[in-house]
Amino acid sequence: MRTYRSYKALEPSRGGKVVRFVLLAVATPVTLFPFYAMVVLSLKPGTAVTFPESMLPWPVDLAAYGEVLGGRDLVTWTVNTLIYSVVSVVAVLLLASLAGYAFAKKRFPGREPMFWSFLAMVMVPYHVTLIPTFMLIAELGGVDTYWGLILPTLANAQAVFLMRQFIMGLPDELFEAARLDGASEWRIFSRIVLPLCKPILATLGVFVFLWHWNDLLWPLIIGGGADMRTLTVGIASLQTENVPLSVVLAGATVAFVPIFAAYLVGQRYFTEGVTMSGIKG
């Protein structure tokens, strides 16, 4: 009864619901307008953009999409982006789950200082590390290579933190019972930890995929050759080649479709995964 009353106390009042509805009704069109403008302008012929006439969904011209989809460069950019995103997702989830399990359930000297030192990486601006990271990768011969593109992005402190918070909430009795049955640490990790971590793994997987798919700065720096460009770098390069705006926006729309599909697939895990990782432990 006490729990039910506490939940009831957290519910907004009728006036609060009305205010929330009004705010969402105002914020929704403001949020969706850039996407609407991107799609509509990509369907316009190569004419000057005027407001509000250019925001009308007619006339429709698919020539820009034909030029984008018919180009060989788009295939190369898409393959590079898929390799960068998918391999990074798998590696980040594996490393973050292993580290999260160790920090949450294992006891070893210096565990807490090591964890908080690693988490302090979040406070270091990403741009500060770009030059030393590039110099290190270049010294190792990683410029214009897939491993040079992927490797520096695998140490994800946010992912390790969320995995640790989630795994800390798993009952210790499960691990003690498995050890009494003679299970190895790898068997405990693969048969107990990973299946129970599906919500947070799915949430992190979508977030990591979106981040790598949309990443521009690091692929631009490390991928000097045209054959190593990702979609974001390739679309940005179109703006310097006297390409019509409709073609640039058509490329942006094509690049947006996979990340939107990834969001639709993983959206039901977002609330559960983030909420549970935030309140457990």
Side-chain angles (χ1 to χ4, degrees):
M1 181 62 69
R2 182 179 302 174
T3 303
Y4 174 75
R5 289 178 179 175
S6 62
Y7 279 115
K8 291 292 289 183
L10 294 176
E11 292 185 0
S13 62
R14 184 181 298 274
K17 291 180 180 179
V18 173
V19 172
R20 183 173 60 180
F21 176 80
V22 172
L23 291 177
L24 290 175
V26 173
T28 298
V30 174
T31 304
L32 294 179
F33 179 76
F35 299 98
Y36 171 80
M38 178 180 68
V39 175
V40 169
L41 292 178
S42 69
L43 295 172
K44 298 289 184 178
T47 56
V49 177
T50 58
F51 189 84
E53 290 81 4
S54 295
M55 293 297 102
L56 299 177
W58 59 80
V60 174
D61 187 355
L62 298 176
Y65 285 91
E67 185 174 345
V68 169
L69 296 175
R72 184 186 66 86
D73 290 339
L74 181 69
V75 177
T76 303
W77 300 344
T78 303
V79 171
N80 292 338
T81 308
L82 282 174
I83 294 174
Y84 179 45
S85 302
V86 174
V87 174
S88 297
V89 167
V90 174
V92 167
L93 292 185
L94 177 61
L95 295 175
S97 57
L98 286 169
Y101 172 58
F103 284 128
K105 297 298 182 181
K106 305 301 292 182
R107 301 291 182 267
F108 53 89
R111 185 188 67 169
E112 293 301 317
M114 186 183 301
F115 172 72
W116 292 110
S117 299
F118 181 68
L119 192 62
M121 293 171 54
V122 178
M123 296 184 290
V124 179
Y126 172 64
H127 304 81
V128 174
T129 63
L130 281 176
I131 294 178
T133 302
F134 174 79
M135 294 176 62
L136 178 61
I137 296 298
E139 188 69 22
L140 296 174
V143 177
D144 270 347
T145 63
Y146 286 118
W147 73 262
L149 178 66
I150 296 170
L151 185 63
T153 67
L154 300 185
N156 193 312
Q158 296 96 325
V160 173
F161 174 75
L162 289 175
M163 290 302 304
R164 172 185 178 269
Q165 294 300 104
F166 191 94
I167 296 174
M168 283 181 66
L170 301 179
D172 293 332
E173 291 77 8
L174 289 175
F175 304 96
E176 294 172 0
R179 292 189 181 96
L180 289 175
D181 289 338
S184 63
E185 289 297 331
W186 176 253
R187 188 176 182 87
I188 293 173
F189 174 76
S190 60
R191 296 298 181 89
I192 297 177
V193 176
L194 289 183
L196 293 176
C197 290
K198 285 182 180 179
I200 190 62
L201 286 173
T203 303
L204 280 176
V206 174
F207 279 129
V208 173
F209 180 83
L210 295 180
W211 178 58
H212 284 83
W213 188 273
N214 291 323
D215 193 14
L216 171 64
L217 191 55
W218 177 245
L220 178 63
I221 292 174
I222 201 66
D227 291 337
M228 282 300 299
R229 288 177 178 174
T230 59
L231 272 171
T232 51
V233 177
I235 293 172
S237 68
L238 294 178
Q239 302 180 32
T240 64
E241 299 175 3
N242 197 25
V243 175
L245 178 63
S246 58
V247 176
V248 176
L249 294 180
T253 303
V254 172
F256 170 74
V257 171
I259 61 176
F260 183 66
Y263 170 77
L264 292 179
V265 171
Q267 63 173 335
R268 65 191 185 96
Y269 295 104
F270 283 177
T271 303
E272 180 182 0
V274 174
T275 302
M276 294 180 70
S277 62
I279 64 176
K280 287 189 175 184

